[in-house]
């Protein structure tokens, strides 16, 4: 199905059977867990009925990995990292979910089609620092790939300052 712009802000849906531009919406209702709108339409010329769906168009976010490979953004990876960092910490689940939502919001508010994984890691560390210091150090130790105790201690000293 295709819409055509008519006038300034009026859209017309052509009939898929006869191609006539005059169709009427008979019924509208939410679909796909309120992520789209299902519309039943009727053609004024041939009388046939058809269904259209209206959805928000999303542009996938691509993550540039350390090795320059690209993959589609996956919220589950951020959730897994934050949950691992907060494991056995006195952080309420609601605060963890709120933090994950804030991280994702900050990522998508950049309005970029591609984002380096290093930038995502920095955003996660900033949010974890505010959430729980131990969770921050846990995440940083994996993310920054601390090779020895001295590297770990220098990061810890920066945190404490």
């Amino acid at each position: 199905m295709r819409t055509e712009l008519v006038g300034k802000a009026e859209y017309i849906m052509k009939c898929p059977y006869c191609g006539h531009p005059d169709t009427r919406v008979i019924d509208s209702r939410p679909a796909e867990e309120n992520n789209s709108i299902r519309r039943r339409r009727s053609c004024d010329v041939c009388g046939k009925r058809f269904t259209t769906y209206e959805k928000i168009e999303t542009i996938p976010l691509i993550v540039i990995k350390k090795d320059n490979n690209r993959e589609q953004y996956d919220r589950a990876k951020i959730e897994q990292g934050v949950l691992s960092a907060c494991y056995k910490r006195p952080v309420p689940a609601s605060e963890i979910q709120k933090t994950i939502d804030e991280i994702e919001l900050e990522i998508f508010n950049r309005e970029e089609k591609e984002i380096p994984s290093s930038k995502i890691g920095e955003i996660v560390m900033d949010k974890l620092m505010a959430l729980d210091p131990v969770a921050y150090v846990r995440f940083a130790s994996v993310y920054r790939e601390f090779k020895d105790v001295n590297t770990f201690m220098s990061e810890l000293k920066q945190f404490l300052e």
Side-chain angles (χ1 to χ4, degrees), residues 56-72:
I56 295 174
E57 184 178 28
T58 57
I59 299 169
L61 179 64
I62 302 300
V63 177
I64 305 168
K65 306 296 282 181
K66 289 178 185 175
D67 62 1
N68 280 331
N69 282 332
R70 285 165 165 70
E71 65 181 45
Q72 193 164 345

Side-chain angles (χ1 to χ4, degrees), residues 96-143:
I96 292 172
Q97 282 306 312
K98 181 181 168 195
T99 300
I100 293 167
D101 290 342
E102 289 173 1
I103 292 165
E104 190 170 62
L105 185 63
E106 188 169 329
I107 290 167
F108 282 102
N109 279 345
R110 296 171 60 86
E111 296 183 2
E112 295 174 356
K113 293 179 183 178
E114 294 185 336
I115 184 170
S117 61
S118 59
K119 184 60 187 168
I120 293 174
E122 296 297 326
I123 293 169
V124 171
M125 285 196 300
D126 288 346
K127 298 295 181 184
L128 283 176
M129 190 180 294
L131 180 67
D132 184 76
V134 173
Y136 162 78
V137 172
R138 285 178 175 172
F139 186 87
S141 68
V142 173
Y143 175 72

